[in-house]
Amino acid sequence: MMDEIEIIYKHYEDTFSIVSEREKKRDLLFLIVIGFLGLLLIQLMYSLALSDAVDNISIMGIALNLSEVPLPVLVSTTWTFFVLFLIRYYQVTIHIDKQYNYLHKLEKQLSELLSSSQSISRESSDYLTNKYHWFRHWVWIFYTGICPSIVIIAILWSLRLEYLTNSIPIYHKIYDSVLGTIGIISVVLYLIGQWLEK
């Protein structure tokens, strides 16, 4: 029968493996979110040039003739996917943060069960050294402050561009405004969680 240390360490390894997989998913979601936001801005700023430059695209084996799809439909579809992926990105990010706190507790528990000369600190005390201290803080500020702020500004800019585009009907503008508002609320709630909640 496994002793307490082996059981906790096995659980620690399983949890760490899950967190690693979630990190890969988070990184991919981040790129997808930025891609959709960029596509949205391109659609709104260069709609005529985009339709002239790209006739056909294929997404997951489905061929689309962009010249036959109205701009409002493309824009609203992009807004929809952007917001869905944005919310999913923050869900995964928050889950990873919670799991890291849990991993730190498991490491502390394992270290206490081991002799004083041994410790498990892959994710806590060994990581929190002074080496690369400033760069780690800069990256954290970038991903939890600067980047979300840029996303909010880009959403507001996209909504403004859309309202200035006469070829987009009002019902599309209302739908897209609701999605943009949901996106902003999601980012703001994430920022509150990162910076204000203890």
Side-chain angles (χ1 to χ4, degrees):
M1 187 170 187
M2 293 172 67
D3 65 4
E4 187 178 1
I5 293 176
E6 289 177 298
I7 292 169
I8 295 171
Y9 188 72
K10 178 76 170 85
H11 178 63
Y12 171 77
E13 283 186 317
D14 292 342
T15 305
F16 186 81
S17 175
I18 291 167
V19 170
S20 296
E21 287 302 313
R22 290 278 165 96
E23 286 177 335
K24 291 176 190 172
K25 186 175 185 177
R26 177 200 59 199
D27 295 345
L28 178 62
L29 286 167
F30 178 77
L31 294 175
I32 291 170
V33 165
I34 297 303
F36 272 116
L37 191 55
L39 179 61
L40 187 61
L41 286 167
I42 289 170
Q43 287 172 339
L44 292 167
M45 293 174 69
Y46 307 105
S47 58
L48 293 176
L50 181 65
S51 62
D52 291 341
V54 182
D55 286 336
N56 296 303
I57 61 167
S58 179
I59 300 171
M60 294 187 284
I62 300 171
L64 294 173
N65 185 346
L66 289 182
S67 60
E68 294 179 6
V69 180
L71 176 66
V73 173
L74 284 175
V75 171
S76 291
T77 302
T78 305
W79 270 112
T80 302
F81 282 107
F82 164 69
V83 171
L84 289 174
F85 280 104
L86 179 72
I87 290 171
R88 186 65 187 138
Y89 166 75
Y90 283 127
Q91 284 179 315
V92 172
T93 301
I94 290 167
H95 182 264
I96 290 169
D97 285 348
K98 289 185 345 187
Q99 289 299 103
Y100 267 109
N101 291 335
Y102 182 62
L103 281 172
H104 295 174
K105 289 177 186 174
L106 287 176
E107 288 175 353
K108 184 177 179 185
Q109 189 177 4
L110 281 167
S111 296
E112 288 170 356
L113 291 170
L114 295 169
S115 66
S116 60
S117 62
Q118 297 175 309
S119 70
I120 306 288
S121 57
R122 172 170 51 190
E123 294 304 319
S124 55
S125 62
D126 281 349
Y127 178 76
L128 301 173
T129 63
N130 287 330
K131 196 169 185 181
Y132 306 112
H133 174 79
W134 290 106
F135 181 75
R136 283 196 328 266
H137 284 287
W138 159 246
V139 170
W140 186 82
I141 289 168
F142 177 78
Y143 279 108
T144 63
I146 296 171
C147 196
S149 299
I150 291 170
V151 169
I152 290 172
I153 291 167
I155 290 172
L156 292 171
W157 188 19
S158 298
L159 290 172
R160 182 181 178 279
L161 287 171
E162 186 168 344
Y163 270 90
L164 294 174
T165 304
N166 294 328
S167 61
I168 298 178
I170 189 66
Y171 54 88
H172 275 279
K173 292 177 181 178
I174 292 169
Y175 174 78
D176 298 343
S177 295
V178 169
L179 289 174
T181 303
I182 291 170
I184 290 171
I185 289 169
S186 300
V187 175
V188 168
L189 291 176
Y190 172 76
L191 288 172
I192 289 170
Q194 279 292 326
W195 291 88
L196 300 178
E197 292 177 354
K198 298 295 181 195

